[in-house]
Amino acid sequence: MSKGKVLFIGSNATRIEVQGGWGATGQYLNETVVPAMAVIAAGYEVVLATPDGTKPHIDPVSDAVQHFEGDAAAYDRAKAFWANDPAMNQVRTLRSVIDEGLDQYLGVFFPGGQAPVADLMQNEDVGEILRHFHDRAKPTALLCHGPIAIAAAMPRARAFRAALIAGDHGKAADLAKDWPYAGYRMTVFSKTEEKVVEDHILHAKMYFDMPTALHAAGGRVETTATDFEPNVVVDRELITGQNPRSDHPIAARFVEALDRRLATA
């Protein structure tokens, strides 16, 4: 018998604005399946939802054994889980999940890849979901680029994102007033880590980096001195992981938070 439901929120984005055009994007395989498998192994039921109710697109760059520390068996298990497990294939729309009631969910998790920068951070349904979990102090975990999705909890998230793209950080800060996560400690994919992606994968520059965006919103952003070292920051109900290699650590902290929540429910 399941201990309870946990919501996983995926992106439907397949491309992202870059300076001079568009780049291909998606959700990272390991950042999705490693936490999902850990949550299921701990006895919880995972419900995957996206804005339009279709399965997220996996960024091909993440579909590689290197993102599983070179462990071919772990990579094969992850691929099979993503392809075949009902939790990854019975995808709901965000709106249907909201309409059926968010009270039934103990926690929420957002994987990364750059895709959340394109859609989730400005999605009104994401904002409604986040405010529900924040108001009730339910575990809210976000990994790599995923933490940018918490911008959706502000009243004018779409305008906030547009100000960032325009390079007007002062306007962005004004638009972020009354953001529920202002003053929270958090981490996210760092500016120097992003440069690696820009130089070697996108071959173009992003319009804004994640730490600058969350700092403009009022977050207390902490990133590691060494790129791609695992890093997880916990502040109240918010659990954030910095990069793809933070997949196992954030999964463990998220499960611990779910267990604590269940014990006090």
Side-chain angles (χ1 to χ4, degrees):
M1 182 182 232
S2 167
K3 292 180 180 177
K5 291 183 179 181
V6 178
L7 183 59
F8 271 58
I9 295 184
S11 167
N12 291 129
T14 58
R15 62 180 196 155
I16 188 169
E17 303 102 318
V18 293
Q19 295 182 29
W22 294 84
T25 195
Q27 193 165 295
Y28 262 43
L29 177 65
N30 68 303
E31 297 178 19
T32 306
V33 302
V34 168
M37 292 171 76
V39 168
I40 290 171
Y44 297 94
E45 175 186 353
V46 165
V47 175
L48 175 61
T50 64
D52 69 13
T54 62
K55 192 171 180 177
H57 171 69
I58 292 296
D59 191 328
V61 173
S62 73
D63 190 356
V65 69
Q66 71 187 60
H67 288 292
F68 296 84
E69 303 292 339
D71 185 335
Y75 172 57
D76 289 343
R77 286 194 299 271
K79 290 271 287 182
F81 178 81
W82 176 250
N84 303 316
D85 196 280
M88 299 290 98
N89 291 281
Q90 296 174 355
V91 187
R92 308 283 305 281
T93 64
L94 297 178
R95 178 41 53 184
S96 71
V97 166
I98 293 168
D99 289 345
E100 289 183 9
L102 295 171
D103 287 333
Q104 63 187 300
Y105 294 96
L106 291 167
V108 62
F109 189 94
F110 290 75
Q114 290 177 311
V117 185
D119 60 355
L120 300 186
M121 73 174 291
Q122 57 180 340
N123 183 282
E124 291 182 2
D125 290 339
V126 170
E128 185 174 343
I129 290 167
L130 284 166
R131 289 188 293 271
H132 168 92
F133 282 82
H134 169 75
D135 291 345
R136 293 157 182 80
K138 296 186 194 179
T140 302
L142 311 96
L143 177 57
C144 195
H145 288 81
I148 197 65
I150 57 176
M154 63 182 64
R156 301 183 64 190
R158 190 173 295 273
F160 171 79
R161 184 177 183 276
L164 291 172
I165 289 175
D168 191 340
H169 296 156
K171 183 177 180 181
D174 287 340
L175 290 163
K177 287 178 181 175
D178 301 320
W179 187 46
Y181 300 100
Y184 273 65
R185 293 173 53 244
M186 60 188 68
T187 192
V188 70
F189 202 62
S190 74
K191 185 174 183 177
T192 50
E193 289 168 337
E194 196 79 78
K195 189 174 188 307
V196 175
V197 174
E198 291 173 334
D199 291 348
H200 300 287
I201 297 173
L202 286 174
H203 305 290
K205 285 189 65 64
M206 299 273 285
Y207 277 103
F208 58 89
D209 64 82
M210 304 308 105
T212 297
L214 291 177
H215 178 75
R220 295 167 54 200
V221 183
E222 305 171 5
T223 56
T224 59
T226 303
D227 288 346
F228 299 104
E229 283 297 306
N231 181 35
V232 175
V233 174
V234 180
D235 189 347
R236 288 158 278 187
E237 83 278 6
L238 189 66
I239 307 164
T240 49
Q242 181 174 324
N243 49 41
R245 293 192 63 224
S246 304
D247 54 357
H248 286 281
I250 197 173
R253 299 300 292 272
F254 186 48
V255 168
E256 290 170 1
L258 292 171
D259 287 345
R260 286 195 301 271
R261 177 76 186 187
L262 184 62
T264 59

